[in-house]
Amino acid sequence: MKTKVEGLIQRCDRPDFTPGKRHFPELLELAVSDDESIRKKAISAWLRAGAPGLDWLVRELEGQEFSSTFRARIARVIQRFAADDVGSSRVQMQELLKDPDEQVQRVVIQAMGQWKDAEEVQLEALLLDHWNSVKELATERGIIKTLGRVGGEKSLALIQDYVDRLEEIDEATQKTIDKTRLEIERRLSRSEANGLDLNVPVQARLRIFSKPGLEFLVQDELKEHSLVSNTPGELECDWDAPLIQLYNSRVMLGFAIVTSSESTRGGLGQALARLLQKKSVLGVLKRVTRGPIRYRIEWMDHGKLRAETLEAAKLLSEGSPELVNDPSERDWDIEVYQVKKSIYALLKPRVEDTRFLWRQEDVPAASHPTVAAALVRLAQVFDRAKVWDPFMGSAQELIEAGKVANEVILVGSDTDAAAIEAARKNLDAAGVKAKIHQTMAQRLDITGQDFIITNPPLGWRIHGPHSVGKSLESLFKEVIPNLSRALKPGGKLVWMSPNPKLTDPIAKAQGLELRMKKPVDLGGMNATLQVWVKR
Ligand SMILES: C[S@@+](CC[C@H](N)C(=O)[O-])C[C@H]1O[C@@H](n2cnc3c(N)ncnc32)[C@H](O)[C@@H]1O
């Protein structure tokens, strides 16, 4: 048979059980039990009782003499109420801070740091006040830790004074002090104006990324900067211009500043601190950043390396206080790479990429916008050209074409109703006009086109209501003749062929001439970028 207590434990698990006055005495036993899982259950049930539960607890506490271990456990119960600011819980916590036993005080101090609104409720003053009455090192450490959440200039001053007076600092205390200082400095720096300014000219080594195979188009878009590519998907150059000009490339994926390298002597933390304070590195960070330089460190060849990150952040804040380790509000991602006995970093500014903001809706097989840009760039669309995308999807190619030339006459078709809707939304958002048909590419009756620009289905089995189960071969046998018919003589088909072996003979047989081909890695899927011209 179940005992009364077991019954109560079980009820605690049920979200619809709200304990009442008659349960409180037994619930208290459970809430301070030695078994942590029982304690947790009891406390969450008790929280459901709200202010009356708390009041009972407080009265209980006042009337009796409890051991300090017991009082510390009760403090944990009250803390749960205090986290949500229930009734008089916070006043009670302040009372408990006066407990003669510092073990109880420590529970309170730690708990206060976890209040969601800890920063706003003037805990700093309370804790600084309390500091003078503290005798035990563990309690001092507890206060310093919580000051990391709630402190400001005054806390920094107190910690400095503390450090100056101590003859020796043990490792745990030193760690707590370092962490707290960084947290406080980070918070203080947030009130200063900040942000990135990509309009200032910058001299730096840059690495620019693209889909592997599309480097040649990025080189063409940024030709005045003489980009070279030694690795698929990566280009490099010595840049001497505002970074904003990188966005003149619509095919690039992103970019980073490449630092020089630094030996790992003294460990990775020290090496990174030296690297980031080099004139060439700090100089460029300062130039582009207004206010504090907030960063996050990522060790690309290792795991988290918390100790090294903390060490680097500490050395940096001492040596160059404008550098603030602030992962959640960062403007810079600092990716650190190790090559044998040295490291270098890629500095990636976190800026909004405004090139493709019109993307309101996607389709599952949507082209990456830089791929759409690549197709359109390769086509060299001219003003007033007629352009058809037979596999329009979310209309990225059409929009891109509408952006690069004036008064283009755009037609899009797709079989999928969701694609049609997505295309309409995106075209509206982009302010580009196009005539849209919900029909099969092989069926649309259209002629006189200057360009067909498209990213067709690339999978072996085609999806979509009218193509399910068809092989690519049978689809393209039907579609390519219609594409060829639609082009005027000299008109261009610019597309991604999923399989040139299969599509090239069909295209040739339809009077198309291959002018260019280039394999592209579309993220695990290979396709070939091609330009065909109608004879
Ligand atoms: C790779 S997606 C196109 C992606 C598009 N460029 C974009 O950026 O969203 C291929 C599209 O072809 C459509 N489709 C498949 N078979 C078709 C057919 N026979 N005729 C017309 N559209 C078809 C699919 O519905 C899909 O939207």
Side-chain angles (χ1 to χ4, degrees):
M1 234 189 70
K2 254 191 323 193
T3 64
K4 213 172 143 199
V5 174
E6 280 167 347
L8 186 59
I9 296 174
Q10 275 189 357
R11 293 181 77 186
C12 284
D13 269 340
R14 291 185 10 214
D16 59 349
F17 168 59
T18 305
K21 211 170 161 189
R22 65 200 163 88
H23 302 114
F24 292 156
E26 269 160 19
L27 209 53
L28 179 60
E29 296 293 321
L30 299 180
V32 298
S33 135
D34 289 331
D35 182 330
E36 195 188 326
S37 79
I38 294 181
R39 273 205 313 265
K40 276 191 175 156
K41 285 179 191 187
I43 293 174
S44 34
W46 208 323
L47 290 178
R48 292 197 285 273
L54 173 73
D55 291 346
W56 183 91
L57 192 61
V58 171
R59 275 198 303 278
E60 190 70 11
L61 204 57
E62 278 166 1
Q64 297 186 45
E65 287 283 317
F66 292 114
S67 73
S68 54
T69 311
F70 197 84
R71 293 198 305 277
R73 286 190 181 166
I74 290 192
R76 288 205 174 87
V77 182
I78 295 182
Q79 148 58 13
R80 293 293 302 276
F81 285 99
D84 294 333
D85 200 7
V86 174
S88 64
S89 54
R90 295 209 169 163
V91 179
Q92 291 310 323
M93 289 295 272
Q94 292 192 27
E95 281 304 308
L96 283 168
L97 190 59
K98 297 179 195 148
D99 196 286
D101 190 322
E102 293 200 7
Q103 186 196 348
V104 180
Q105 295 179 18
R106 288 198 286 276
V107 171
V108 176
I109 291 163
Q110 192 216 355
M112 285 175 160
Q114 290 164 7
W115 296 353
K116 279 196 199 70
D117 51 353
E119 281 175 52
E120 291 115 63
V121 290
Q122 301 186 343
L123 285 177
E124 182 185 28
L126 184 77
L127 291 175
L128 293 184
D129 203 36
H130 189 63
W131 176 267
N132 296 324
S133 65
V134 168
K135 294 185 185 66
E136 294 172 26
L137 177 66
T139 316
E140 289 172 341
R141 207 157 54 216
I143 292 184
I144 293 175
K145 197 163 174 207
T146 296
L147 287 176
R149 283 286 323 272
V150 304
E153 300 281 7
K154 284 187 183 146
S155 300
L156 283 178
L158 176 129
I159 293 169
Q160 187 56 47
D161 184 50
Y162 180 60
V163 172
D164 291 346
R165 277 189 296 111
L166 278 185
E167 274 159 25
E168 218 181 311
I169 304 185
D170 65 286
E171 204 180 316
T173 309
Q174 184 64 55
K175 255 191 170 161
T176 308
I177 289 175
D178 290 346
K179 206 155 173 256
T180 288
R181 274 183 166 153
L182 287 171
E183 282 172 349
I184 295 178
E185 282 161 5
R186 171 192 304 167
R187 218 178 18 260
L188 289 176
S189 80
R190 281 187 185 156
S191 53
E192 292 175 40
N194 76 307
L196 298 179
D197 182 359
L198 299 194
N199 290 299
V200 290
V202 163
Q203 281 184 354
R205 184 77 183 161
L206 285 194
R207 187 171 296 171
I208 298 164
F209 304 96
S210 75
K211 295 261 182 204
L214 298 182
E215 304 82 1
F216 74 106
L217 288 171
V218 179
Q219 271 167 328
D220 184 42
E221 289 176 315
L222 300 172
K223 43 178 161 313
E224 64 277 25
H225 299 285
S226 314
L227 271 51
V228 290
S229 174
N230 300 321
T231 311
E234 290 183 11
L235 300 117
E236 285 209 7
C237 73
D238 287 318
W239 185 266
D240 185 4
L243 293 173
I244 194 87
Q245 285 182 16
L246 283 154
Y247 292 104
N248 293 342
S249 165
R250 300 186 63 79
V251 181
M252 72 140 188
L253 289 169
F255 63 91
I257 294 166
V258 191
T259 70
S260 52
S261 50
E262 174 64 34
S263 111
T264 54
R265 184 172 35 84
L268 291 172
Q270 285 188 24
L272 180 59
R274 286 196 305 272
L275 176 66
L276 296 180
Q277 290 181 97
K278 280 186 177 184
K279 230 174 161 187
S280 60
V281 180
L282 190 54
V284 74
L285 286 170
K286 275 190 187 163
R287 226 173 136 60
V288 180
T289 318
R290 276 178 276 124
I293 303 163
R294 288 174 223 291
Y295 63 86
R296 179 184 144 200
I297 296 169
E298 203 173 335
W299 304 91
M300 305 306 284
D301 306 301
H302 303 274
K304 284 250 183 285
L305 297 191
R306 288 207 176 82
E308 285 76 1
T309 302
L310 189 61
E311 186 181 19
K314 181 187 168 199
L315 292 169
L316 288 168
S317 100
E318 287 164 5
S320 308
E322 61 273 50
L323 286 165
V324 183
N325 177 30
D326 192 353
S328 66
E329 303 270 320
R330 68 196 186 275
D331 286 317
W332 293 92
D333 279 314
I334 299 184
E335 296 181 357
V336 190
Y337 295 82
Q338 184 165 7
V339 182
K340 293 188 186 145
K341 287 191 173 159
S342 64
I343 54 165
Y344 74 94
L346 291 187
L347 315 176
K348 295 189 170 173
R350 302 232 306 159
V351 272
E352 190 187 23
D353 184 349
T354 54
R355 291 174 302 168
F356 310 108
L357 278 186
W358 42 263
R359 290 181 83 193
Q360 309 270 311
E361 272 198 37
D362 252 344
V363 294
S367 319
H368 192 278
T370 64
V371 172
L375 288 166
V376 170
R377 174 132 194 128
L378 207 55
Q380 296 178 298
V381 176
F382 45 78
D383 291 350
R384 283 179 289 283
K386 290 184 172 172
V387 183
W388 175 33
D389 183 350
F391 300 100
M392 165 191 64
S394 58
Q396 315 211 49
E397 285 77 6
L398 289 181
I399 292 170
E400 196 66 27
K403 294 260 178 214
V404 300
N406 298 311
E407 295 175 55
V408 277
I409 300 162
L410 302 170
V411 177
S413 54
D414 201 291
T415 46
D416 181 12
I420 301 281
E421 195 182 328
R424 287 222 164 92
K425 282 200 182 140
N426 289 339
L427 284 159
D428 267 0
V432 172
K433 284 207 169 50
K435 198 158 183 208
I436 286 179
H437 302 271
Q438 185 172 359
T439 186
M440 296 164 84
Q442 52 272 56
R443 292 274 172 79
L444 189 71
D445 187 7
I446 183 173
T447 53
Q449 299 300 299
D450 296 297
F451 298 97
I452 294 174
I453 303 176
T454 195
N455 184 13
L458 299 176
W460 185 246
R461 293 272 165 201
I462 320 296
H463 301 290
H466 303 283
S467 305
V468 174
K470 276 197 180 176
S471 71
L472 277 186
E473 184 170 11
S474 61
L475 174 72
F476 289 120
K477 266 191 181 148
E478 290 176 25
V479 169
I480 294 174
N482 198 33
L483 302 190
S484 177
R485 192 167 45 238
L487 286 173
K488 60 164 70 148
K492 286 183 190 166
L493 163 64
V494 183
W495 79 335
M496 289 284 180
S497 169
N499 183 351
K501 263 200 204 136
L502 192 147
T503 56
D504 284 5
I506 311 175
K508 279 182 191 148
Q510 292 301 317
L512 296 170
E513 260 178 36
L514 185 61
R515 289 289 166 83
M516 203 230 82
K517 61 176 179 178
K518 183 103 193 160
V520 180
D521 177 354
L522 295 178
M525 199 187 277
N526 291 320
T528 304
L529 191 55
Q530 293 187 325
V531 180
W532 294 87
V533 173
K534 169 89 176 273
R535 273 204 299 269

